[in-house]
Amino acid sequence: MIELTVESFAAEVLTQEAPVLVDWWGESCENCIALMPDVDALHTAYGDKIRFTKFNTSQKMVRRFCIQQKILGLPVISIYHHGEKVAEVAKDDCTKEAIETMIQKYI
């Protein structure tokens, strides 16, 4: 899984031809940490069909960038395709089943 930064986001996500899943998470987000094994399992199952990335929102100086991406609470799992955010599940809706359903629409 590719670790994203503000500097690498455009190259790793927005310029890709294939769909890209972004796991937006934070170090102090207990729900994010609890979701990680499920995201890892989905990466194992679908990693050859969709690019898996993660963005640690706890990095320094990323608040404005996250707001620009409309990440206002955690956890959030987004799918980008051809440079646009095309799907997202957030907060209480972030379940392994919901993420897998979203992935299956874009592979």
Side-chain angles (χ1 to χ4, degrees), residues 31-97:
N31 291 336
C32 298
I33 304 300
L35 190 62
M36 283 184 179
D38 292 335
V39 175
D40 289 341
L42 292 168
H43 178 238
T44 299
Y46 296 100
D48 60 334
K49 296 179 174 108
I50 187 168
R51 184 182 185 105
F52 276 74
T53 65
K54 55 180 17 181
F55 191 101
N56 181 352
T57 62
S58 301
Q59 299 172 69
K60 291 182 180 182
M61 309 298 288
V62 299
R63 181 180 167 96
R64 181 173 295 180
F65 176 77
C66 291
I67 290 169
Q68 289 170 345
Q69 295 299 315
K70 296 182 174 59
I71 306 303
L72 306 176
L74 296 174
V76 175
I77 306 289
S78 304
I79 293 184
Y80 290 76
H81 199 211
H82 299 294
E84 300 290 327
K85 188 187 303 184
V86 294
E88 183 172 274
V89 291
K91 299 183 184 176
D92 293 340
D93 294 333
C94 269
T95 64
K96 182 178 181 183
E97 294 77 19

